[in-house]
Amino acid sequence: MNQRNNRRLVLFPVPFQGHINPMLQLAQILHNRGFSITILHTDLNLSIHPRTPTSPFAPSAMASANRRCAAPFEERLREEVSSPDGRDAPVTCLIADALFRFTWDVAERAGVRRMVLRTGESRLEDPVPEFPPLQVKDLPGINTAEPELLDQLLHDMTEGIKDSSGVILNTFEDLEEISSRNFPIGPFHKCGPSSSGSLLAEDRSCISWLDEQAPNSVVYVSFGSIATVGESEFSEIALGLADSQQPFLWVVRPGSVGGSELLEKLPSCFLEALEERGKIVKWAPQQEVLAHRAVGAFWTHNGWNSTLESISEGVPMICMPCFSDQKVNARFVSDVWGVGVHLNNGLERRKIAEAIRKLLVEKEGEEVRERAAQFKEKANSCLRQGGSSFRSLDGLANHILSSESFVFGSNKSSA
Ligand code: UDP
């Protein structure tokens, strides 16, 4: 661990599981670099906001969080900044989730420099050459009953990022081209252990179950903390898993459209197969699962954390993106990095079984498996001394420490 540097950072995550995890990991990374850390958090949990397969993301919940959090956040930030008894290290910088747009005005009023953490794919602002002036984020992708609110949210996020003093990304240079004001210091979770930010209890019985399985034989199935599946999709997934003849570990989260209750409705052939070679849990210690020698494929919704966690462990993916940046992530996984296959044109048990067998056992999947192993090596080497993320973290620490000369408002031109 580096020496303490008598500087404090205030971190502020959005209360979605996929946003809390990387923020806590970032906290650990920066603490290891000598910074003192204060994490402010809301008492909301947006991951449990009601949603359906046709409207999985509720922009109104995020918009309401932006409205409701502004005043209490300002109050807390001012308290942190004033630290009247001088016991704490002075606040040098606020690092806020990119979705919390209001933090810009609040930071300005409190006289604190603000950086943002982007927890998702960073290509959303890339142009689509065939359809100028469209950007990737404009392509149809997010099913929502509130399209205008969603547009506003994405617009605010983009503006908030432009206004920040720098952007921290959970990615690494071998994966994507990164513009100069960004700090790609990922994969965060490989930088060392951090405290668990799980909003659900992890069922660790799956690790002892994995210990009993053959190397690279298990398909791990999880669609993250928000995505939901309908009743017919749910049965098709179950039947595809049964048909694959491979062991599987399946996360069926409470609330994923009555998931747990649906288990009882599954055909008896599936439940028989399950007894022999399947394990279902409500929430898994995912990073540990993906790092387990028994896991040979990951059937995922391609949330950015899941995608990066899989790449970092060299686990090839079966991509089933649902909304938001997941579609872009999945396209990169299959077509650019070549570390996974897409489940195209809907869910069908035969195709599911084929995809699983391809990645786990068939010769056809060999190239994908090899490329996945190569990316694992890249993900690890970028963190070693001299690697791209290692250097970027140095740059980030220097950037934060340079805040002594920072005059509020001047960051737009200097960024
Ligand atoms: N996760 C977990 N256990 C599970 C399922 C997911 O710990 O059973 C974690 C996973 O490791 C990842 C996060 O939850 O860090 C999900 O984030 P992601 O960006 O993949 O998807 P989201 O939930 O935001 O759609």
Side-chain angles (χ1 to χ4, degrees), residues 189-363:
H189 71 288
K190 297 296 283 182
C191 296
S194 65
S195 30
S196 165
S198 255
L199 298 168
L200 293 171
E202 291 171 348
D203 183 343
R204 296 196 53 80
S205 67
C206 59
I207 299 294
S208 38
W209 180 82
L210 284 174
D211 289 343
E212 281 158 24
Q213 310 303 317
N216 297 318
S217 65
V218 175
V219 56
Y220 169 59
V221 187
S222 169
F223 308 123
S225 62
I226 302 174
T228 52
V229 290
E231 206 162 317
S232 61
E233 289 173 310
F234 187 81
S235 310
E236 215 56 29
I237 292 171
L239 293 169
L241 287 172
D243 284 1
S244 78
Q245 304 293 325
Q246 291 296 128
F248 59 87
L249 169 61
W250 184 10
V251 176
V252 181
R253 215 183 57 244
S256 51
V257 188
S260 328
E261 300 85 73
L262 282 176
L263 277 176
E264 285 141 36
K265 296 190 196 162
L266 288 174
S268 56
C269 65
F270 174 73
L271 291 173
E272 280 157 26
L274 171 68
E275 292 222 345
E276 285 169 24
R277 56 180 175 76
K279 172 91 179 155
I280 295 184
V281 293
K282 290 185 176 156
W283 193 251
Q286 180 164 303
Q287 290 159 20
E288 210 175 322
V289 166
L290 288 169
H292 198 285
R293 54 158 189 79
V295 173
F298 181 17
W299 181 1
T300 171
H301 70 311
N302 288 112
W304 181 244
N305 295 292
S306 295
T307 303
L308 193 62
E309 288 161 13
S310 203
I311 288 174
S312 308
E313 299 304 339
V315 179
M317 283 167 263
I318 298 168
C319 304
M320 193 176 83
C322 301
F323 62 92
S324 175
D325 62 344
Q326 295 158 16
K327 296 196 178 186
V328 183
N329 301 340
R331 195 47 73 195
F332 272 83
V333 165
S334 59
D335 293 19
V336 180
W337 305 317
V339 295
V341 295
H342 251 273
L343 267 184
N344 286 325
N345 308 324
L347 277 181
E348 206 253 296
R349 63 190 283 187
R350 192 178 47 82
K351 287 192 188 151
I352 294 169
E354 269 173 21
I356 294 173
R357 295 193 60 76
K358 176 176 172 180
L359 287 193
L360 284 175
V361 284
E362 309 289 351
K363 184 139 185 48

